[in-house]
Amino acid sequence: MKPTRRQFKQQQRQCVFWKSLKRQRFKAMNKGICAKDVSRPIQKYFHQNGNTLQICGYSGFRFFYPDILIITKARLAIDVEVKISRSDFKADFKKHKHWNFEKRHFNHNYTSYFYFACPKGLIRLDEIPDYAGLIYVEGGKVEIVKKAPRLQSAKVCDETLYSIAVSLSAKCIYGESFMNAKRKQAHE
């Protein structure tokens, strides 16, 4: 049974999605799964393993927007793409970053490791490209099905770290990115 418009709006407020996943909201909510259900356990997993600098929906890189960006102590970047539907997974390959990963072309991209993350069984192991890893999440438990190979050894530069700090500060102050807060303020 489909939720009413009012129920759908209420569910929207309860579950935060990233812009890239907006189209999948309705379908995913009917199945009881949202991006937050996948991303939070992954963030906890990496945090418990010593990777404490993390940001969701970071848009500071010029040509791509990772769902979860994790910076290791060695200043290596881990890009995690959260997928909650098969169509979202297939559509992701239209992004230019996959061509870059495949060709090992890393202009303005500091990604050292790239993962797809999804509810268990949504994506098969044989569908994952050579340059990517696969993480399953089920009931809050994280399972790394395929470890991502190291794509490059370039470290995240100071400018990018500063940009991440500014973005995190805005999220603490405004509860969202500065640009989103500014847009909302303009419409009021």
Side-chain angles (χ1 to χ4, degrees):
M1 184 173 155
K2 289 184 180 180
T4 65
R5 182 93 174 133
R6 183 176 180 202
Q7 289 171 330
F8 179 67
K9 285 289 185 188
Q10 188 176 20
Q11 288 174 343
Q12 274 183 321
R13 286 189 292 274
Q14 292 172 355
C15 189
V16 177
F17 280 69
W18 295 280
K19 287 181 182 179
S20 63
L21 298 176
K22 277 187 177 177
R23 290 183 205 118
Q24 303 304 323
R25 261 188 211 179
F26 194 75
K27 288 181 184 177
M29 285 187 167
N30 281 337
K31 295 176 187 173
I33 299 169
C34 69
K36 185 171 69 172
D37 296 332
V38 176
S39 65
R40 289 285 163 85
I42 291 169
Q43 288 180 277
K44 287 178 185 175
Y45 173 84
F46 279 101
H47 189 272
Q48 289 167 354
N49 287 306
N51 299 304
T52 55
L53 181 55
Q54 304 178 20
I55 186 167
C56 291
Y58 177 66
S59 59
F61 287 135
R62 290 185 183 158
F63 302 110
F64 75 104
Y65 308 97
D67 291 333
I68 305 171
L69 177 65
I70 301 162
I71 308 296
T72 67
K73 289 178 184 174
R75 292 175 72 163
L76 300 174
I78 302 170
D79 176 356
V80 180
E81 273 295 320
V82 175
K83 300 297 161 199
I84 56 171
S85 73
R86 300 246 342 127
S87 60
D88 186 24
F89 172 68
K90 291 176 182 177
D92 203 64
F93 290 98
K94 295 175 184 172
K95 294 178 183 175
H96 191 68
K97 74 177 179 180
H98 292 284
W99 180 86
N100 288 339
F101 290 154
E102 201 169 294
K103 303 292 182 194
R104 300 292 198 261
H105 181 263
F106 296 104
N107 190 23
H108 305 296
N109 183 342
Y110 295 101
T111 301
S112 296
Y113 299 96
F114 177 75
Y115 284 95
F116 283 107
C118 65
K120 189 172 186 170
L122 182 73
I123 303 170
R124 294 187 318 269
L125 185 58
D126 62 352
E127 295 176 301
I128 300 298
D130 294 337
Y131 56 83
L134 177 62
I135 301 172
Y136 280 161
V137 176
E138 183 178 40
K141 304 274 189 224
V142 174
E143 176 188 356
I144 296 187
V145 179
K146 178 186 175 195
K147 188 171 177 0
R150 190 164 181 172
L151 300 173
Q152 65 170 339
S153 57
K155 296 181 184 239
V156 175
C157 68
D158 290 338
E159 182 183 334
T160 301
L161 286 175
Y162 179 76
S163 173
I164 291 169
V166 168
S167 184
L168 286 171
S169 295
K171 285 186 179 185
C172 288
I173 295 166
Y174 301 105
E176 59 191 342
S177 75
F178 176 72
M179 292 308 290
N180 285 344
K182 197 172 177 179
R183 268 188 234 115
K184 282 182 181 177
Q185 192 176 27
H187 290 299
E188 290 177 353

